Amino acid sequence: HHFLPEAITSDFQVHWGQHFLRPEFVESTYFLYKATKDPHYLEVGKKVLKALQKHARVTCGYAAVKDVRTMKHEDRMDSFVLSETFKYLYLLFSKDEELFLDINQFVFTTEAHLLPLSLARLSNSTVVPVEDEYHEFLDADEDVEFAQACPSTRYMFPDHLSTVEAAAS
């Protein structure tokens, strides 16, 4: 087959033959290349790109494959094809200096949106001075080594009393 089917059986037979051009394989390829710099992953990306061009390209874009055994198309292209699949292919083959932003200053959400690491701060105490009985346990700058970590909900939602309340808003 030219594409992985949506599902296979325990003995590796095609169970669901569709291939919607989902991004997960390309996403993994991108992150593995970024982590290892192994040129094998660039070759994998080239094979994916060639397969997309040869088997999924249609007049007005790209079409999902109805069945990988017959390679017939569906009359659809989900939004994730452009917003995720091709974003990861673009990033896989781009050099850092060619990008208009420093990709290392972002983390990707599960939908391939960029979340700036600048939302993180040295510590919650440093960012938002809190003087109440609920937050006394935090020492200022106790987590300096995690300066580029998860965003501080107290920084992003300073008017909320708790992180649970902030996350719920």
Side-chain angles (χ1 to χ4, degrees):
H1 306 298
H2 298 286
F3 291 107
L4 295 172
E6 190 72 12
I8 58 172
T9 61
S10 59
D11 61 345
F12 300 104
Q13 299 301 308
V14 174
H15 182 65
W16 295 327
Q18 304 95 330
H19 183 78
F20 299 114
L21 313 180
R22 292 190 192 276
E24 287 80 8
F25 184 77
V26 177
E27 175 185 11
S28 299
T29 303
Y30 165 71
F31 282 116
L32 286 166
Y33 176 72
K34 191 164 173 65
T36 66
K37 298 297 185 208
D38 186 338
H40 168 75
Y41 297 110
L42 291 175
E43 291 303 316
V44 170
K46 285 179 190 175
K47 287 180 182 179
V48 169
L49 192 54
K50 285 181 181 180
L52 287 169
Q53 293 289 60
K54 184 174 181 180
H55 301 291
R57 184 86 168 104
V58 293
T59 304
C60 295
Y62 292 83
V65 177
K66 188 172 196 135
D67 192 314
V68 296
R69 295 166 288 209
T70 64
M71 296 307 292
K72 296 215 185 261
H73 292 128
E74 291 198 28
D75 188 15
R76 68 184 270 181
M77 181 182 81
D78 292 289
S79 62
F80 57 72
V81 176
L82 293 176
S83 66
E84 295 178 65
T85 304
F86 285 114
K87 182 185 295 182
Y88 284 118
L89 281 168
Y90 173 79
L91 291 170
L92 176 65
F93 296 111
S94 297
K95 292 179 175 56
D96 288 343
E97 60 273 7
E98 295 172 342
L99 300 174
F100 65 92
L101 51 81
D102 183 358
I103 204 74
N104 296 314
Q105 296 302 312
F106 295 85
V107 66
F108 288 92
T109 67
T110 57
E111 299 299 320
H113 300 299
L114 296 172
L115 183 64
L117 288 168
S118 62
L119 292 176
R121 296 293 182 254
L122 294 179
S123 74
N124 291 338
S125 312
T126 304
V127 177
V128 180
V130 179
E131 298 178 15
D132 63 28
E133 67 274 14
Y134 300 110
H135 303 100
E136 288 179 37
F137 61 89
L138 289 175
D139 294 326
D141 299 322
E142 67 181 357
D143 54 349
V144 170
E145 65 198 78
F146 301 109
Q148 290 194 331
C150 297
S152 165
T153 53
R154 280 191 276 161
Y155 173 74
M156 292 172 19
F157 308 101
D159 296 332
H160 293 284
L161 298 176
S162 70
T163 56
V164 173
E165 184 184 337
S169 64

